[in-house]
Amino acid sequence: MPDRPGRPDQPRRDQSRAGDKPRKPRQKRRGPAGSGSTGSGPTGSGPTGNPGTPKRKANPLANPGRRVSKPPRPAQSAERSDSPAAKPKADHKPDRKPDAKPAKPAPKARGSKYPVSQSKSKPKPAKQPKPAQPSPAEPAPVAPMADGTPQGLFFAAPPGLEPTLEAEARALSFADVMAEPGGVAANGDWSEVWRANLMLRGAGRVLVRLGSFRAMHVAQLDKRARRFPWELYLRPDVPIKVEATCKRSKIYHAGAAVQRVETAITETLGVPIDAEATLRLMIRIEDDLCTVSLDSSGEPLHKRGYKEFVGKAAMRESMAALFLRDCGFDGREPLLDPMCGSGTFPLEAASIAAGLLPGATRRFAFEDLAGFDAEAYAAFRRRITPEAAEPDPGFRAYGSDRDAGAIRGASANAERAGLSHLCQFTQHSVSDLQRPEGPPGLVMINPPYGGRIGNKKMLYALYAALGRKLTEDFSGWRVGIVTTDVSLIRPMGIKFPPPGPPVAHGGLKVRLWQAQL
């Protein structure tokens, strides 16, 4: 009787019919060890294997058909052990890593080959944190003096002219003078503040540093602003204006800083706040350091107090004084300005020659501060005012312009300044310019640039005519010209050395060009 299909000794899949090609037995994929899957093949546990293949000795750990629990892993120890029990059992495959992981070595000290417990070197003690100290480049907070003495002075200057103002401050014997971006730093008491406002020609303002403190947020700024001794400097009956700048600080909103300081001053001292006040309090927050300064000048120092008529695009007197110093003018040689406008260069040169104090005829903001001694200031002012003396006989200031209104205004300014006997203003064009009698001197010019006044294309002919006149009639004189573009200098036909640094003036960048004719 034929065997029934499906008997285990003769599976149906192994039977073949006549004429059919023998089929290979179907093999199942071998599952992972211990997964319980059954397969047929060389290492399978099925009833039928591949004929002709030698059977491998069964390994209970590698047989996928049997569920064999893994042997327990040996206990790991931090100490090294050479006993056989501590060694993991080898697997049936030579290239397979043992199941038991080796024990981790004991931690070693840094820089040592011995474990921590066996390290020959003694463990280093833990480093104590150093107290926080300000870096050398970072200014430390400075508390205000009990008597209100200034912590420092700062003379503001146009960017680019700081070295010239530094030379002037050194010539006047100010202490600890050092040029900084935007001005010159110095030290001194309140009498030096008075002297700087009265005598410095190139400074735009004299700022007084009162103190500084740390402020990381506006609440801390408000708290420390209320502790600041404002009563040493401010008066309850004099309004002030508060300004603030923030740079690289957690307090980045200048308006919020102004509001907190104003509130602190008003609630603690009762000082009124006025946007038009001449007394300005300046808060500078940089790198979380709040520096409190006071503008002791009030109106800018270029306002000498005598110049009522101002021409178009006129230069400030403080800048004109610095340009004259750069040209080496000392008040002992004649000066000529063929485009004088309101007479800035001739009047400033005449004031230098006469030895007048630039701030002798004006008032300053420090006169409204608390503790100001009017009698001491009057005595100090009389002491530093030079006695009336005749200027050098070789000096004379000449100014000319083609605008008749400018000549009238310049003459009136000279009358108010008391310098009319040293200045001479005439109306004529550049082509009618004549050399004054006497020794050679300095031709100082601030011509149109084409930026605010005049058409730049039409100015080339004007500069060319000026250059021809100077070359022909002013041999031996020096010339200094302030302008913006080298293309305006070339038509003059004069060999100028490299100019000075760029200086901000009226929204433009001007340079001083000098030459010997």
Side-chain angles (χ1 to χ4, degrees):
M1 182 176 179
D3 295 336
R4 288 178 298 177
R7 291 183 61 180
D9 52 346
Q10 292 182 357
R12 185 185 181 96
R13 59 193 176 197
D14 291 341
Q15 294 178 357
S16 59
R17 298 179 182 179
D20 294 340
K21 294 181 179 181
R23 291 188 301 176
K24 294 183 179 180
R26 185 177 180 181
Q27 298 181 2
K28 293 185 179 180
R29 292 184 181 181
R30 178 184 176 185
S35 61
S37 61
T38 305
S40 61
T43 59
S45 60
T48 305
N50 191 6
T53 303
K55 294 184 178 180
R56 181 179 294 180
K57 187 177 181 180
N59 189 343
L61 296 178
N63 191 351
R66 297 178 59 185
R67 293 182 176 270
V68 180
S69 59
K70 293 183 179 180
R73 299 176 66 177
Q76 298 182 4
S77 174
E79 300 296 334
R80 183 177 178 180
S81 177
D82 296 331
S83 61
K87 295 181 180 180
K89 294 182 179 180
D91 200 359
H92 68 285
K93 291 186 178 182
D95 58 343
R96 182 174 178 180
K97 295 182 180 180
D99 294 336
K101 296 182 180 180
K104 295 183 179 180
K108 299 179 182 180
R110 182 177 295 180
S112 174
K113 62 181 181 179
Y114 300 99
V116 175
S117 59
Q118 303 177 3
S119 179
K120 295 183 179 180
S121 59
K122 297 182 179 180
K124 296 181 179 181
K127 294 183 178 180
Q128 299 295 334
K130 296 182 179 180
Q133 296 180 357
S135 59
E138 180 182 357
V142 178
M145 300 293 289
D147 57 350
T149 303
Q151 299 293 339
L153 309 180
F154 187 80
F155 312 141
L161 294 177
E162 296 94 344
T164 310
L165 180 58
E166 180 186 11
E168 182 185 3
R170 291 186 185 278
L172 293 175
S173 302
F174 283 95
D176 304 329
V177 175
M178 181 179 296
E180 296 181 359
V184 176
N187 285 320
D189 55 8
W190 282 107
S191 63
E192 292 294 88
V193 176
W194 301 345
R195 191 165 72 93
N197 281 281
L198 288 169
M199 301 186 69
L200 283 176
R201 292 186 174 276
R205 297 181 184 274
V206 176
L207 308 181
V208 182
R209 181 183 176 188
L210 305 181
S212 61
F213 53 84
R214 290 284 174 191
M216 302 298 182
H217 45 81
V218 290
Q220 191 176 35
L221 174 65
D222 179 82
K223 181 178 180 180
R224 297 190 174 180
R226 294 176 183 273
R227 296 179 180 178
F228 201 85
W230 304 110
E231 65 278 1
L232 298 177
Y233 314 101
L234 306 180
R235 289 165 43 183
D237 59 333
V238 178
I240 64 169
K241 178 182 179 181
V242 181
E243 298 177 356
T245 58
C246 302
K247 187 177 181 181
R248 299 192 304 270
S249 300
K250 293 181 175 63
I251 301 177
Y252 57 87
H253 198 290
V258 169
Q259 183 181 10
R260 294 303 180 103
V261 175
E262 287 180 348
T263 303
I265 295 175
T266 303
E267 295 182 357
T268 56
L269 195 60
V271 177
I273 305 299
D274 187 359
E276 303 297 330
T278 57
L279 185 59
R280 294 194 311 153
L281 186 70
M282 286 167 290
I283 308 298
R284 181 182 181 185
I285 307 176
E286 184 172 357
D287 295 328
D288 300 324
L289 181 66
C290 179
T291 303
V292 182
S293 301
L294 191 68
D295 181 7
S296 66
S297 302
E299 290 187 340
L301 293 180
H302 76 270
K303 297 184 178 182
R304 309 296 197 207
Y306 56 80
K307 192 175 180 181
E308 295 183 0
F309 173 78
V310 180
K312 297 180 180 179
M315 180 176 290
R316 294 183 175 185
E317 283 73 11
S318 56
M319 184 180 294
L322 295 176
F323 282 138
L324 288 173
R325 175 175 283 272
D326 276 341
C327 291
F329 181 80
D330 56 1
R332 294 182 293 180
E333 60 183 345
L335 180 134
L336 183 143
D337 185 357
M339 303 179 185
C340 67
S342 58
T344 302
F345 278 123
L347 290 175
E348 195 64 26
S351 177
I352 295 173
L356 301 180
L357 297 179
T361 59
R362 56 161 288 170
R363 194 176 184 276
F364 302 100
F366 62 76
E367 301 181 35
D368 294 329
L369 296 178
F372 172 71
D373 192 343
E375 295 181 359
Y377 173 64
F380 175 82
R381 189 168 179 170
R382 289 192 299 267
R383 186 169 67 253
I384 68 171
T385 301
E387 297 181 358
E390 290 295 329
D392 192 278
F395 172 78
R396 188 73 177 177
Y398 302 93
S400 61
D401 201 287
R402 66 178 184 177
D403 187 0
I407 295 300
R408 289 192 300 268
S411 301
N413 290 337
E415 288 286 345
R416 282 185 292 270
L419 300 171
S420 57
H421 62 291
L422 298 176
C423 301
Q424 178 180 339
F425 296 99
T426 56
Q427 178 190 359
H428 57 74
S429 61
V430 172
S431 58
D432 298 331
L433 182 64
Q434 297 181 0
R435 174 174 176 163
E437 297 181 0
L442 175 65
V443 179
M444 200 71 192
I445 318 170
N446 180 32
Y449 317 139
R452 293 184 295 173
I453 299 178
N455 187 351
K456 189 174 182 178
K457 294 182 179 180
M458 300 178 62
L459 292 179
Y460 294 112
L462 175 64
Y463 277 73
L466 177 61
R468 287 194 301 268
K469 197 66 175 178
L470 295 177
T471 304
E472 295 172 359
D473 300 339
F474 287 83
S475 178
W477 283 60
R478 305 191 321 278
V479 60
I481 180 169
V482 181
T483 188
T484 57
D485 197 349
V486 66
S487 63
L488 297 174
I489 293 294
R490 293 194 184 101
M492 297 184 66
I494 300 175
K495 294 183 179 179
F496 286 95
V503 180
H505 172 51
L508 304 173
K509 294 291 186 179
V510 299
R511 295 174 181 264
L512 175 62
W513 303 73
Q514 303 182 57
Q516 178 71 43
L517 299 176

